Amino acid sequence: MKKENKTILHLFLITGVIFTLIPFLWMFLTSVKTLGESIQVPPIIFPEKFKWENYKNIINLMPFGNFYYNTVLYTFFRTVGQIIFCSMAAYAFARIEFPFRNTIFLILLAILMIPGQIFLLPQYIIIQKMGLLNTLTGLLLPGLFSSFGTFLMRQFFMTLPKELEEAAIIDGCNHFQIYYKIMLPLVKPGLVALIIITALASWNQLMWPLIVNTSTDKMTLSAGLASLAGQHGTDYPLAMAGAILGVLPMIIMFIIFQKKFIEGMASTGIK
């Protein structure tokens, strides 16, 4: 690539990064303002004095310990569940011949075209009849499987050469042994991508946690922070301070695993 083209590309990427960071910067600046400064018209960018007490106030106002605990449990078990069930289903769709395999997979893909909000009412009724409202179990169950996760992992399994499983079958391996001992270690980039995508989605999930759990001690971070929006007004500095505390773990996680995430997503479409 020519030097001029590289310069243009870098300028374009830098501009994209700046536009991406602006909302996070505004969120942080709002979190250290007074309420008056946050609603001032015309808006001001920098506060007259950084009000760090907002972070202390939001921690004292809300049970952040419970919120973090519930969110970590929800994210962990939902991610582990999708790794197990999605990878097993994906292996079956990619490597095992069975009747109506392609038809079933097309039906699975069709689910991706349906807005997720449509499933909220049926899921709620099922969880209610099981007596699991306001429980972590009821919060977890609907998210243990994902059509997208199955599709993503199937793409990785499809890239592996058929000779691997043929050799394993000759050695006396069954399908589960082939899946667990041979195929799964070879799709680590896909697993990492699925882990990060699922973890991010679980951590930021709002609608389902807000509907299924109404007790404060069973709420996740997103549902708890949503309760800060009052009927007659919202304390925006406190809300933004809570949002900063809520999003910080995911930013750290992405920074640590970004190389694997990019590698996994870049390999998804390769066949």
Side-chain angles (χ1 to χ4, degrees):
M1 185 181 291
K2 293 181 179 180
K3 187 176 180 180
E4 295 82 2
N5 293 338
K6 282 187 177 180
T7 303
I8 294 173
L9 178 61
H10 288 163
L11 287 174
F12 178 77
L13 293 174
I14 290 170
T15 304
V17 169
I18 291 172
F19 277 103
T20 302
L21 291 176
I22 285 175
F24 292 97
L25 180 61
W26 186 259
M27 182 168 66
F28 167 73
L29 291 174
T30 303
S31 72
V32 291
K33 292 177 181 178
T34 63
L35 177 59
E37 289 174 331
S38 68
I39 60 176
Q40 185 172 321
V41 179
I44 60 170
I45 298 176
F46 297 100
E48 184 177 338
K49 181 182 178 182
F50 280 36
K51 191 180 178 184
W52 299 105
E53 306 88 69
N54 288 333
Y55 289 90
K56 181 180 178 181
N57 293 338
I58 189 65
I59 292 174
N60 292 333
L61 178 65
M62 310 190 77
F64 259 79
N66 279 344
F67 290 167
Y68 269 115
Y69 176 75
N70 296 335
T71 306
V72 168
L73 279 184
Y74 176 59
T75 301
F76 175 77
F77 284 107
R78 192 169 184 252
T79 303
V80 170
Q82 291 203 20
I83 290 172
I84 295 171
F85 295 122
C86 293
S87 63
M88 292 177 71
Y91 173 77
F93 281 121
R95 317 299 296 196
I96 301 176
E97 293 288 343
F98 57 88
F100 307 110
R101 182 182 69 168
N102 293 333
T103 303
I104 296 172
F105 184 68
L106 286 175
I107 294 172
L108 193 71
L109 287 182
I111 297 175
L112 296 175
M113 305 178 199
I114 303 173
Q117 291 83 353
I118 291 178
F119 300 112
L120 291 176
L121 182 58
Q123 288 175 357
Y124 181 85
I125 294 173
I126 292 171
I127 295 299
Q128 183 186 42
K129 289 185 176 180
M130 294 174 69
L132 295 176
L133 292 179
N134 281 318
T135 64
L136 290 176
T137 305
L139 182 67
L140 291 169
L141 280 179
L144 294 179
F145 180 78
S146 163
S147 300
F148 173 77
T150 303
F151 167 75
L152 179 70
M153 292 308 302
R154 177 182 176 272
Q155 295 301 103
F156 281 92
F157 282 121
M158 293 285 288
T159 65
L160 302 178
K162 204 168 185 178
E163 290 76 14
L164 287 173
E165 55 192 322
E166 290 175 350
I169 291 172
I170 293 173
D171 289 338
C173 293
N174 56 39
H175 276 299
F176 182 78
Q177 290 172 323
I178 296 171
Y179 153 77
Y180 180 71
K181 294 184 178 180
I182 299 173
M183 297 295 183
L184 207 57
L186 295 175
V187 293
K188 282 184 180 178
L191 289 174
V192 173
L194 179 60
I195 288 170
I196 295 177
I197 291 171
T198 306
L200 286 171
S202 303
W203 193 272
N204 297 321
Q205 184 77 26
L206 174 61
M207 289 301 296
W208 178 245
L210 198 61
I211 290 172
V212 74
N213 287 341
T214 54
S215 300
T216 305
D217 60 331
K218 295 293 190 300
M219 282 186 176
T220 60
L221 272 169
S222 55
L225 291 174
S227 64
L228 286 173
Q231 183 177 359
H232 303 291
T234 301
D235 192 324
Y236 295 106
L238 285 184
M240 292 301 103
I244 290 285
L245 294 175
V247 78
L248 197 58
M250 287 294 100
I251 293 176
I252 295 172
M253 177 183 171
F254 180 78
I255 291 173
I256 294 173
F257 295 106
Q258 63 176 323
K259 185 177 179 181
K260 287 289 185 182
F261 175 73
I262 294 170
E263 178 185 349
M265 293 306 295
S267 306
T268 307
I270 300 175
K271 182 175 179 181

